[in-house]
Amino acid sequence: MNRIDIINERYALSGAIARTGVEVVAVGDPAGARFNAAVRRLTILVKDEGPGYLDDLAAAAKALRWRRMTQPQPLVFNPVILQLAREVERHSRRLTGAIAEQDLLDELSASAAAVAFSDSALGAVLLRSCLAVGIKNCVVVAASKPAAAGLAAWMEEQDVLVLTAGELEREKPKREQAYVVGPPRFYRSSLVTAPVTSGVSFFLPAWFGDRSVPSSAIALYAEGALRIQAHVLTQGDTAEPEVDLPAEPEAEYLPQPAWGARQAGEREPTNEEAEAHKILLSGGLAMWLDDGERIRSLDPCQPAGERVAYTDIQAVRAGTYLLLRQGETERGALYQAAIARLARGDEVDAAQVAWKQLLAEKLQTLGYRKTVRELRAAGVTTADRARAWTNPSLTRPHSDQGFERLLRWLGVDAQPTFGYATMLRKSLYRVSAEVREKLEKAVSAVDLSELEAVGHLSLDLETDGFRGILATRVLAISPFTEIVSRHDVRVPFKDGSGRWLE
C-alpha cells in the first residue's frame, strides 16, 4: 500500500468514526470508587498543608488509583497493586497522631486494602468485549508501555494484541476495533480524529466522571473539523460514596513524584555550582540536568543507524530516552579524548583554563546579573550563558563574533585562544561522532523492545572511557531548580522518588 492509499484509508476511518461516534464504557467499581473518594480528600488536604510530610502518602495513593484505572487485569497478574496498598497503609500508619484527620488515614488504609483484594470488574468487561468481537478483529490500547506489558501478560493466553497508542499509530495492525483502557482525556485526540481502526471504545471505571472525548487543538477554529460524539454506556454497580468535594483536575490522577520544596532559596550559585532540575529516571535513578545546550539521547522509533542523536536540553521531556555514562558525565570523557588527539593538547587545555578562570572570577566579583549586563553591553548576545561557559567541557560560545567580544571583555588577546578553542571544538565533534557510531552499533545489537518495556538498558562500548553507557527513560522533571555542585551534574545516582512512576 502506497502513501496515498494509506492517507485515503485514514480519511475513510475518520469518516466512519465521525458518523458513528465512539463508545465510552463506564464500569462499576465499588472498591475503586471508595478509594478514589479517600484520595480526593487527601489531595485537598495536601493542597491546604503544602508540600512536605504528606508527599509520600499522596504519591503512593495516586499511583494505586492510577494503576486501578489503567491496569484492570486480575490481581494474580497485578502484584504491584498489593505493594502499593501496603505502601498506603504504611504511610498512613506513620502519620498517626501527626494530623487531625485520623478518620481519613483509617479510610485510606481500609479502602486501599479493599482494592488490593478485589479484582476490578473493568478487566472482565474488557475481556468479554474482546472475545465477543473476535480477538483477530480487535486491539487493546494501553496507557503506557508498562501498562501494556501488564495487560499483555494477562491476555496472552487469549492471543489478544495489546499496544500503546504510539505503537498502534506506528504499526497500524489490521484490526477493526480498538479497545482503549482508561479515560479518553488521557489520550491524544488523534486516537479518534485520525484513527487506525473503524471503531474505538474507551473502558474506564465509573468513578472517573469525565467521559468527554477530546478534539484536536484546531477543532474550534477549523471549518468542518471533526467533532466526535461519545456514547456512554454503564455496566455493573456504579454506586459511589457521597462526597461534597470540588472537581479534581485531571493532572491529579496521574502518578506524581514527591518533589518537596526548593531548598536553595534565592542565592546565586558559586563558580563551583550550577542550577539544575532534578530528573527522575527509569531503574530507580535520578540526575541533575543543568542549562547546557544538549544531551545525548536515543529514539527507539527511528530506523537503525539514526537512533542516537543529541537533544536540546529544553526539549527533554518525560518519555525521552537519555544515554548516560554511569558514574560520571560523558562530557568530561569527551573533553579528555579530544585534548589527547591534538598535537598541542597541553597548550590548548591551558588556554581554555585561563579564559574560563577569568570569566569565573568576573562572575564571582560582579555577580551573575551584573556580568550578564556588562557582556550584553559589550555585544555578547548570549550573555545569559556566561555561567555555563565556565564549564571545561563547553568549549566556547557558538558565535565567533560573540566569542571574540567575550575575550576582549576579559582582556584576553583573541589569538591564540580563539584558534585553540575552535580547534578543540572540531576535535570534540570528531570524537563525539566516533562515539555515536559505536553507540549505534551497540544499540543495533540489543533488543529495544526490552528498553521500551523495562525503561532502561545497559550498553557495552568497545571504547576506552565510555564503558558503562546506560539508556534510560525520563520519568519526570522537577518544576524548580536546585543549586548543586557542578561535579554532580549529569551523573546518574540512586533515588527512589520515581519508584511508582513506572
Side-chain angles (χ1 to χ4, degrees):
M1 184 180 292
N2 60 38
R3 188 174 180 182
I4 294 177
D5 290 334
I6 292 172
I7 293 173
N8 287 338
E9 183 180 51
R10 295 295 286 277
Y11 271 112
L13 293 172
S14 297
I17 294 289
R19 289 190 299 273
T20 62
V22 301
E23 281 187 345
V24 177
V25 183
V27 181
D29 176 21
R34 178 186 174 189
F35 182 64
N36 175 55
V39 176
R40 290 178 63 189
R41 289 176 58 194
L42 175 63
T43 300
I44 292 173
L45 181 62
V46 170
K47 289 180 179 178
D48 291 340
E49 296 290 327
Y53 67 101
L54 293 170
D55 287 350
D56 289 334
L57 174 59
K62 288 182 179 180
L64 176 56
R65 181 173 62 173
W66 179 252
R67 196 173 187 92
R68 181 76 171 189
M69 184 190 301
T70 59
Q71 296 197 47
Q73 63 265 33
L75 295 173
V76 67
F77 295 96
N78 211 351
V80 177
I81 287 280
L82 181 57
Q83 296 174 30
L84 283 165
R86 286 173 175 166
E87 280 291 297
V88 171
E89 193 277 332
R90 182 172 72 87
H91 288 298
S92 296
R93 187 174 62 251
R94 180 178 59 83
L95 290 169
T96 298
I99 64 174
E101 291 82 353
Q102 181 61 46
D103 66 318
L104 172 57
L105 297 179
D106 293 341
E107 178 60 12
L108 280 166
S109 295
S111 59
V115 166
F117 291 100
S118 62
D119 285 336
S120 170
L122 180 62
V125 173
L126 173 66
L127 183 56
R128 283 202 305 270
S129 298
C130 291
L131 297 176
V133 77
I135 58 175
K136 295 302 181 184
N137 292 325
C138 69
V139 55
V140 171
V141 181
S144 66
K145 195 68 181 179
L151 288 166
W154 167 46
M155 292 187 151
E156 64 182 357
E157 291 184 1
Q158 305 291 342
D159 201 26
V160 176
L161 178 64
V162 182
L163 300 173
T164 64
E167 290 170 336
L168 178 67
E169 171 66 27
R170 292 194 300 271
E171 297 179 19
K172 299 179 179 60
K174 291 296 183 182
R175 297 291 195 274
E176 296 177 5
Q177 180 70 42
Y179 290 132
V180 187
V181 184
R185 191 51 71 180
F186 294 108
Y187 287 89
R188 297 193 300 265
S189 61
S190 59
L191 198 59
V192 293
T193 58
V196 176
T197 58
S198 57
V200 177
S201 297
F202 291 88
F203 289 76
L204 67 156
W207 47 261
F208 188 88
D210 187 354
R211 288 96 185 257
S212 62
V213 177
S215 57
S216 67
I218 63 170
L220 292 175
Y221 313 101
E223 183 177 348
L226 286 177
R227 290 176 174 82
I228 309 300
Q229 297 297 314
H231 305 296
V232 179
L233 308 175
T234 57
Q235 294 193 28
D237 183 358
T238 59
E240 297 186 40
E242 291 187 10
V243 291
D244 184 18
L245 298 173
E248 193 171 14
E250 62 186 54
E252 294 291 351
Y253 281 87
L254 299 172
Q256 297 169 356
W259 296 116
R262 191 172 192 267
Q263 302 297 311
E266 297 302 318
R267 74 176 181 90
E268 289 188 5
T270 67
N271 292 335
E272 299 302 316
E273 296 175 324
E275 283 200 47
H277 287 271
K278 187 178 183 181
I279 294 202
L280 301 181
L281 305 167
S282 178
L285 298 173
M287 180 186 72
W288 294 104
L289 185 61
D290 61 346
D291 62 349
E293 294 178 348
R294 57 184 191 165
I295 188 168
R296 204 183 291 273
S297 62
L298 169 67
D299 187 349
C301 298
Q302 295 300 316
E306 300 178 20
R307 292 171 177 148
V308 177
Y310 275 108
T311 295
D312 291 341
I313 294 298
Q314 300 301 320
V316 174
R317 298 285 185 272
T320 301
Y321 288 94
L322 300 180
L323 289 169
L324 306 173
R325 189 169 179 236
Q326 300 181 59
E328 58 183 302
T329 66
E330 177 193 316
R331 295 188 300 180
L334 287 172
Y335 181 87
Q336 293 302 324
I339 287 289
R341 294 193 178 196
L342 297 174
R344 293 181 160 184
D346 291 342
E347 294 178 29
V348 172
D349 186 39
Q352 288 291 101
V353 169
W355 76 261
K356 287 176 180 289
Q357 182 60 40
L358 286 172
L359 179 56
E361 291 171 1
K362 288 281 192 181
L363 285 163
Q364 188 69 36
T365 55
L366 299 177
Y368 172 73
R369 292 183 179 86
K370 188 173 181 181
T371 299
V372 170
R373 286 198 301 270
E374 291 198 8
L375 282 172
R376 281 180 175 154
V380 182
T381 56
T382 55
D384 59 323
R385 304 278 297 146
R387 193 180 284 134
W389 292 330
T390 64
N391 193 308
S393 59
L394 198 60
T395 54
R396 41 153 286 185
H398 182 73
S399 164
D400 288 349
Q401 189 177 63
F403 187 32
E404 289 175 343
R405 289 172 176 173
L406 170 63
L407 293 175
R408 190 182 310 125
W409 181 77
L410 291 171
V412 176
D413 292 337
Q415 297 299 344
T417 300
F418 182 95
Y420 281 162
T422 303
M423 190 187 309
L424 175 59
R425 184 169 65 176
K426 292 178 179 178
S427 182
L428 266 171
Y429 285 160
R430 288 193 293 270
V431 172
S432 181
E434 291 172 7
V435 171
R436 179 189 175 280
E437 289 180 8
K438 289 183 169 62
L439 280 168
E440 286 284 4
K441 290 180 181 179
V443 168
S444 298
V446 299
D447 182 4
L448 290 182
S449 63
E450 179 183 349
L451 172 63
E452 293 188 280
V454 178
H456 55 278
L457 195 65
S458 292
L459 301 174
D460 293 323
L461 261 69
E462 298 177 0
T463 301
D464 292 339
F466 290 91
R467 300 184 187 278
I469 295 291
L470 175 71
T472 178
R473 182 167 55 225
V474 174
L475 301 179
I477 303 174
S478 65
F480 51 81
T481 61
E482 288 287 1
I483 294 177
V484 298
S485 168
R486 284 198 178 275
H487 296 293
D488 295 333
V489 169
R490 302 197 186 195
V491 179
F493 58 89
K494 285 289 183 183
D495 188 286
S497 303
R499 63 188 180 279
W500 303 122
L501 299 180
E502 298 190 72

